Amino acid sequence: MSKVLVLPGDGIGQEIVAQALKVVEYLNANDNLNMELVHGLVGGTAYDETGSPLPQATIDAANECDSILLGAVGGYQWEALERDLRPERGLLGLRAEMDLFSNLRPAILYPQLASASTLKGEVVSGLDLMIVRELVSGIYFGQPRGIEQKDGERFGFNSATYTESEIRRIGHSAFKIAQKRNKRVCSVDKANVLEVCELWREVMEEVAKDYPDVELSHMYVDNAAMQLVRAPKQFDVMVTSNLFGDVLSDCAAMLTGSIGMLPSASLNKDGFGMYEPIHGSAPDIAGQDIANPLATILSVSMMLRYSLDQVSLADKIDSAVNMVLDQGYRTADIASDGDTVIGTNQMGDLVVKALQG
């Protein structure tokens, strides 16, 4: 039996996770998934109930589970809180607490959604790339950081730091994934101006020696952003730092037509993972039954594939999503002329129906 901590979070997180749980419940009842669900709090809703965006009870529950399914965190009503109490600190704290250093963000263009991409079909048709983002170090966590008074004005500062071992382990993660794909890794940095990126590039070259079957290339981050828009299919696996990965993965997501279609996985060295859609909490549409739940449903598929060793059931979820798209059903964010626009709840129901065959 696998044990999964469910953290819906804030905004649309509540709605989209509910649809993913419909899929889990169906597989539990009909395909011997045997998944036990534990429910917890994180983000703004956790702060409202406990005074902390990451309660100790959530940390304790995570340590007793095999994986985490997360919705999204954040919302307007918590923006005025002190920084350490904001919903996003709960998410960052959970990543750090569980040492989820390897963030896998696929960018896959479903053929049914080719018209939803803002790029020409020949540029994005068949797109299937993986961005491997280092998640618990870099400028988001580096010290010192802060805002101080200096020479009569405010002065803000952050530290972009990486140790050799932090770079090495994310490098190994990327190369191992590339071995299962098309055996190409592009390491993205800014080594021409940043010393931390000089070290990043040196360590990646050293790691590459352990994977002679995988081709390693390097690219500066500004060029990588341009190339993602110009010719994204040149990439197989991209590996990069926390900050650069945050930006590039959202850019890659929009090549696929909608950020609402893409799941992600954040893994530690033991295979424990937190699985979540890469989009945010979208408080402006929360509670309106219009959010796209497919990225969250596909996050369950990634969980089964990467942490729970249930590849056949992961394939079954992927096929069900494709079947629903083939039938022309769309939430508003991915709809084109001639599609049948449906709501969040109905999309979850249709995926479950497709699972039935």
Side-chain angles (χ1 to χ4, degrees):
M1 172 180 286
S2 56
K3 195 173 182 180
V4 173
L5 176 61
V6 180
L7 301 174
D10 310 320
I12 63 170
Q14 304 286 330
E15 302 165 70
I16 55 179
V17 167
Q19 306 314 307
L21 294 185
K22 289 178 182 178
V23 170
V24 171
E25 290 163 2
Y26 176 85
L27 295 177
N28 269 342
N30 298 277
D31 289 273
N32 298 313
L33 175 56
N34 206 23
M35 181 185 291
E36 178 185 351
L37 301 176
V38 179
H39 297 269
L41 298 170
V42 73
T45 53
Y47 171 80
D48 288 346
E49 188 161 325
T50 70
S52 168
L54 181 58
Q56 185 61 45
T58 297
I59 296 173
D60 293 343
N63 281 309
E64 295 176 0
C65 289
D66 301 299
S67 291
I68 298 171
L69 178 64
L70 176 75
V73 300
Y76 309 131
Q77 64 266 51
W78 300 293
E79 289 179 353
L81 292 173
E82 295 180 18
R83 182 174 296 275
D84 287 345
L85 297 177
R86 294 176 189 171
E88 294 76 14
R89 304 310 297 181
L91 179 56
L92 292 175
L94 194 56
R95 290 170 177 170
E97 185 72 30
M98 305 306 295
D99 198 25
L100 303 173
F101 70 91
S102 181
N103 183 218
L104 313 184
R105 292 194 169 192
I108 300 169
L109 179 66
Y110 286 82
Q112 305 93 331
L113 302 180
S115 61
S117 176
T118 54
L119 271 65
K120 294 178 180 178
E122 60 267 27
V123 174
V124 293
S125 178
L127 178 68
D128 181 357
L129 68 89
M130 177 74 78
I131 295 180
V132 180
R133 168 190 172 193
E134 198 291 320
L135 201 60
V136 298
S137 302
I139 199 167
Y140 288 177
F141 292 90
Q143 297 290 341
R145 62 189 295 159
I147 301 174
E148 297 178 356
Q149 287 287 331
K150 183 177 182 180
D151 299 328
E153 63 179 350
R154 287 175 294 171
F155 169 67
F157 55 97
N158 292 87
S159 302
T161 63
Y162 272 107
T163 64
E164 179 180 359
S165 59
E166 288 169 338
I167 301 168
R168 192 174 300 279
R169 68 178 184 174
I170 194 65
H172 281 294
S173 181
F175 277 88
K176 288 175 181 175
I177 290 168
Q179 285 182 317
K180 299 177 181 179
R181 292 173 52 93
N182 294 317
K183 296 183 171 56
R184 290 183 289 113
V185 170
C186 178
S187 176
V188 178
D189 58 43
K190 194 63 176 171
N192 54 336
V193 294
L194 297 175
E195 286 82 356
V196 66
C197 288
E198 287 183 32
L199 177 62
W200 179 282
R201 185 170 291 209
E202 290 173 7
V203 174
M204 284 295 167
E205 290 282 357
E206 294 168 5
V207 172
K209 295 176 182 178
D210 293 336
Y211 303 88
D213 57 329
V214 178
E215 174 190 342
L216 172 65
S217 62
H218 302 279
M219 191 174 289
Y220 296 141
V221 63
D222 45 349
N223 185 33
M226 181 183 73
Q227 294 297 329
L228 273 175
V229 177
R230 189 189 73 84
K233 289 185 286 186
Q234 69 182 278
F235 299 109
D236 178 27
V237 174
M238 303 176 78
V239 60
T240 191
S241 66
N242 206 339
L243 174 60
F244 296 161
D246 196 356
V247 175
L248 292 177
S249 59
D250 278 13
C251 178
M254 286 315 299
L255 303 177
T256 69
S258 173
I259 201 169
M261 286 297 300
L262 300 180
S264 73
S266 303
L267 308 175
N268 67 16
K269 63 181 178 62
D270 300 318
F272 179 98
M274 181 164 67
Y275 297 84
E276 59 183 305
I278 73 169
H279 58 70
S281 61
D284 55 319
I285 63 170
Q288 299 178 39
D289 192 42
I290 59 176
N292 187 346
L294 292 179
T296 315
I297 292 171
L298 291 168
S299 294
V300 174
S301 170
M302 285 193 78
M303 179 192 300
L304 297 175
R305 191 177 303 279
Y306 288 101
S307 287
L308 303 183
D309 196 27
Q310 297 268 14
V311 176
S312 62
L313 292 184
D315 289 342
K316 186 170 182 175
I317 293 174
D318 294 348
S319 296
V321 169
N322 266 295
M323 184 181 300
V324 173
L325 294 175
D326 281 340
Q327 293 168 348
Y329 294 107
R330 307 282 190 273
T331 46
D333 60 308
I334 55 174
S336 299
D337 290 344
D339 293 331
T340 302
V341 179
I342 59 174
T344 309
N345 283 291
Q346 189 177 356
M347 181 61 82
D349 292 340
L350 286 171
V351 173
V352 171
K353 183 178 179 181
L355 287 170
Q356 298 169 6

